[in-house]
Amino acid sequence: MRLGTYSVDGGAPRLGADCGRAVLDLDRYSHLHDGLRLPADMLELLAAGPSARQHAAELCGHFLAELSTHDLAQDAEAGLAYARDRVRWHAPIPRPRKNVFCLGQNYAAHAAESGNAPPTAPIYFTKPPTTVSGPEDAIPYPQGLTTRLDWEVELGVVIGRGGRDIPEGHALEHVFGYTIFNDVSARDLQFRTSQWFKGKSLDGSCPMGPVIVTADEIPDPQRLRLQLSVNGVKKQDSNTGDMIFSVARIIADLSAGMTLEPGDCISTGTPQGVGDGRKPPEYLKPGDVIEAEIERIGVLRNLVR
Ligand code: MG
């Protein structure tokens, strides 16, 4: 399933399934069928556990099977489904309950371009919920605050089943799905001190989306090509197989003595090709369009403004 948070005509954001030419409203569609009623909010779906996810998958299958016979205009009037081009996508989790957990220097070639040896233990930092924005939101350019705004495409992990001390061998069973993050970074603020937090935490500096692809569709998260371009010029092109610490290892390490909960988000680090590591360095400016793409997930496209 490709699950996201959508709105139509400026209405309230709601949980939706991307079904190709149509976006299905899972809450309203579930009212027409036997079984669980599904929530209208992604975090509530995550909290509802595997039975809700299973029911959502069944409803998506049902809708897709009858989609060719559907009158989408009629569906839209009932609020059940909308033509894809009528829908605005928001961040799949518009407001995470916690900071996004992030990995630093998790690709050897990126560590090298940053002048560092590959880390021997995962490096963590976080981005507050106020950084999270959607696939159709602009990235604010804070004039006067930074002159070194940079890009970072990253595979995002959304936790479905919480836990503590999760063994690496079972870690992927805790993943609800995968998404794309752009870990936008103000390098001057990031490197002013040894703690990167401030430079990673400007409003709107964590575009997320366009959707969450459920884990059953990505059995191996370490075999995904990830790329990023600025104004159509390729800047990053790598594979999640090059991560130093795998998704499973990260979940095991992060959850050691620290509880992970449904809806927690982990951004797994960026490969080589960031602006700050280029010779000469390159930075974002207002008007730039960034496209962050991960195989099987999609494209996260944002304008800098
Ligand atoms: Mg990063």
Side-chain angles (χ1 to χ4, degrees):
M1 273 184 297
R2 302 174 61 81
L3 299 177
T5 296
Y6 80 96
S7 66
V8 169
D9 301 334
R14 296 175 60 83
L15 173 66
D18 175 4
C19 296
R21 72 181 179 97
V23 174
L24 176 65
D25 189 287
L26 284 168
D27 165 35
R28 294 185 185 127
Y29 194 63
S30 72
H31 290 193
L32 304 182
H33 296 81
D34 292 337
L36 276 176
R37 283 178 58 168
L38 294 174
D41 176 88
M42 183 73 78
L43 282 174
E44 285 178 35
L45 179 74
L46 286 163
S51 54
R53 184 184 53 191
Q54 183 56 37
H55 190 49
E58 284 161 15
L59 290 180
C60 284
H62 192 275
F63 178 74
L64 275 168
E66 61 180 27
L67 181 56
S68 60
T69 64
H70 263 238
D71 178 350
L72 274 180
Q74 227 168 44
D75 284 346
E77 224 157 279
L80 290 176
Y82 300 90
R84 209 169 186 279
D85 55 10
R86 274 199 62 190
V87 158
R88 178 187 177 97
W89 288 109
H90 301 262
I93 302 176
R95 179 78 184 213
R97 291 210 181 92
K98 294 181 192 167
N99 286 19
V100 176
F101 301 114
C102 301
L103 273 284
Q105 313 274 307
N106 198 26
Y107 290 76
H110 172 58
E113 73 179 352
S114 312
N116 298 308
T120 53
I123 298 170
Y124 300 112
F125 63 92
T126 69
K127 292 170 85 81
T130 40
T131 60
V132 172
S133 66
E136 297 182 37
D137 295 327
I139 297 166
Y141 188 94
Q143 298 278 2
L145 194 58
T146 179
T147 57
R148 293 170 61 190
L149 199 67
D150 204 348
W151 57 81
E152 296 190 352
V153 61
E154 308 195 359
L155 176 67
V157 176
V158 178
I159 296 295
R161 179 150 60 90
R164 196 175 68 168
D165 303 326
I166 298 168
E168 185 172 338
H170 290 281
L172 295 185
E173 297 162 22
H174 291 254
V175 176
F176 176 80
Y178 298 93
T179 189
I180 306 171
F181 283 112
N182 184 353
D183 174 18
V184 176
S185 306
R187 302 298 184 196
D188 29 16
L189 300 178
Q190 178 184 351
F191 297 130
R192 204 164 51 174
T193 63
S194 65
Q195 300 286 328
W196 302 345
F197 180 68
K198 174 71 185 191
K200 293 286 193 175
S201 297
L202 299 179
D203 287 356
S205 67
C206 193
M208 174 188 192
V211 292
I212 297 170
V213 177
T214 49
D216 55 300
E217 296 193 14
I218 301 183
D220 185 357
Q222 308 307 145
R223 283 178 58 179
L224 300 172
R225 186 179 183 188
L226 70 174
Q227 307 173 72
L228 181 142
S229 67
V230 179
N231 303 326
V233 180
K234 185 81 58 75
K235 301 294 183 186
Q236 296 183 281
D237 187 356
S238 186
N239 193 288
T240 55
D242 291 337
M243 282 183 198
I244 298 170
F245 303 105
S246 68
V247 171
R249 176 82 189 280
I250 292 166
I251 291 171
D253 185 80
L254 194 56
S255 72
M258 190 189 97
T259 301
L260 290 176
E261 299 175 298
D264 282 352
C265 297
I266 304 170
S267 198
T268 55
T270 202
Q272 67 277 13
V274 304
D276 207 53
R278 307 180 84 84
K279 307 217 176 344
E282 297 171 24
Y283 300 107
L284 294 165
K285 55 187 187 312
D288 286 345
V289 174
I290 313 173
E291 290 180 289
E293 179 171 4
I294 301 184
E295 194 179 351
R296 289 170 175 247
I297 301 174
V299 180
L300 175 64
R301 185 184 295 104
N302 298 91
L303 169 76
V304 179
R305 189 167 63 204

